[in-house]
Amino acid sequence: MCTSHDHLGAEPAPDVPALSRRGVLKAATAATVGAAGVLAVAGPAEAAGGKHGGSRRVPLDHISVQLYTLRDQLAIDLDGTLAALRRIGYTRVEHAGFVGRTAAQFKAALDRAGLRATSGHSGIPQPFDAAAWQATLDDARTVGQRYIVHPFFGVDANGPIRSSAVYKAFARDLNRAGAMARRAGLKFGYHNHHFEFFRQDGGSRTGFEVLADETDPDLVHLELDLFWVTRGAHDPVDVIQQNRGRIRQFHVKDMNADGSFEDAGKGLIDFARIFRYGREAGIDEFIVERDDAGTPPRAPADAISTAEVGYDYLAALRF
């Protein structure tokens, strides 16, 4: 689970309860239910492409990896892990903190490996603190980021938030953070989990819809985590079509048969179908992630394998 980090390795592995088989089918096969509609609106070449064809591909220099995936291995060997990512083929990463280094030290490590941190997860202060946020923006500029993304919202002491008023208040803070980011030359985004897809106030409007409606598209873009959208029982294509031109980044994270995490391309999510809507979304980055990649029972170094599987999958995919 992507949350706010001061440095990688500070947080234990996420506890993601397994869905029932019925729940998995309801959530993860939303894409399948909508497939007929896709074929109806797609051109003949797109419709015929399916998972194994098509003429489009993910540009290699737009493939990234969320370093939260490798947090345990980075804590063991920062330089060696970054070098391994470059050997796999990555040229860009999205950080989740500076692994106990300063922004300048972290940037130097990236430079040694031949990598760029084009994006980073940094939570906005709550309550909002302009001075603290400005310091975070200054660090992002030191690292050389293009994007800065708020990583987590939707839960309070009582569990998932079910009040649209709370979401509206947070949206105002997102707009403030986005305005400051723009003045600093950065693009500010919001990363979802599944909590945002709970209906608010006992009605039909979800928290995600409140955030999307109440934030200024010129100040706040969306980083769509495709696993968590699916886990939230929503079809990513529907979310894309409801937010055209506003989704700059995808988190490419797959789902296994128990409703938990899987390496990209090994699970239930039909990424090819979703990526066909990339231009409509406004997508710029395809970011590999797996929340439990290097945590027990897996070893930290196994996260490097996850990163390699994800890169190879995206590099080979046609849609």
Side-chain angles (χ1 to χ4, degrees):
M1 182 181 298
C2 308
T3 58
S4 179
H5 307 282
D6 292 324
H7 57 85
L8 290 168
E11 188 171 25
D15 181 14
V16 181
L19 289 174
S20 66
R21 184 171 300 277
R22 184 180 214 175
V24 171
L25 291 175
K26 181 178 180 182
T29 62
T32 303
V33 171
V38 173
L39 294 178
V41 300
E46 282 189 70
K51 284 187 177 182
H52 307 292
S55 59
R56 300 186 201 170
R57 58 180 295 175
V58 176
L60 296 183
D61 61 348
H62 288 248
I63 300 174
S64 182
V65 60
Q66 167 52 252
L67 294 183
Y68 183 71
T69 303
L70 299 113
R71 59 195 178 276
D72 297 309
Q73 186 63 21
L74 285 163
I76 295 168
D77 182 2
L78 175 63
D79 284 332
T81 305
L82 294 178
L85 292 176
R86 184 65 190 93
R87 286 194 297 272
I88 288 168
Y90 290 100
T91 58
R92 61 172 77 183
V93 300
E94 180 179 60
H95 75 74
F98 302 140
V99 202
R101 275 71 168 179
T102 66
Q105 290 169 338
F106 186 71
K107 173 65 161 59
L110 292 170
D111 289 345
R112 288 193 296 273
L115 295 170
R116 296 174 296 140
T118 54
S119 184
H121 276 193
S122 299
I124 65 173
Q126 292 288 284
F128 192 76
D129 182 326
W133 182 238
Q134 185 60 55
T136 300
L137 296 174
D138 291 343
D139 280 347
R141 287 173 56 86
T142 295
V143 172
Q145 292 169 220
R146 177 184 309 166
Y147 299 111
I148 185 167
V149 179
H150 181 86
F152 185 85
F153 187 70
V155 179
D156 60 17
N158 298 314
I161 294 168
R162 307 301 290 264
S163 168
S164 60
V166 175
Y167 272 95
K168 287 180 180 180
F170 185 64
R172 289 193 290 272
D173 284 345
L174 290 176
N175 283 331
R176 294 174 68 185
M180 290 181 64
R182 183 166 68 175
R183 289 195 293 272
L186 296 162
K187 298 180 185 299
F188 177 64
Y190 177 80
H191 168 273
N192 68 278
H193 288 78
H194 61 316
F195 303 110
E196 295 91 336
F197 294 98
F198 279 96
R199 294 181 295 278
Q200 304 299 305
D201 308 317
S204 61
R205 196 178 185 206
T206 68
F208 189 90
E209 289 170 327
V210 175
L211 289 179
D213 291 344
E214 299 292 330
T215 51
D216 184 339
D218 290 333
L219 299 177
V220 184
H221 73 267
L222 302 173
E223 180 178 74
L224 204 63
D225 189 304
L226 303 176
F227 172 94
W228 289 117
V229 173
T230 304
R231 183 70 186 265
H234 278 64
D235 184 347
V237 170
D238 289 343
V239 177
I240 289 169
Q241 293 185 319
Q242 290 159 7
N243 297 278
R244 290 180 174 90
R246 194 173 178 184
I247 301 167
R248 292 280 179 257
Q249 298 162 290
F250 284 150
H251 269 198
V252 183
K253 180 191 308 177
D254 219 335
M255 178 183 286
N256 68 20
D258 294 321
S260 191
F261 308 112
E262 181 57 271
D263 287 352
K266 302 292 186 181
L268 298 172
I269 297 177
D270 187 349
F271 293 110
R273 173 179 173 263
I274 297 166
F275 291 175
R276 292 188 197 118
Y277 292 82
R279 292 176 184 168
E280 187 173 343
I283 194 70
D284 176 50
E285 292 195 317
F286 300 76
I287 304 170
V288 172
E289 186 181 33
R290 177 171 171 168
D291 294 12
D292 66 343
T295 57
R298 304 182 88 203
D302 290 335
I304 297 174
S305 173
T306 286
E308 184 170 15
V309 169
Y311 182 90
D312 290 346
Y313 170 73
L314 290 178
L317 186 64
R318 300 293 182 269
F319 51 93

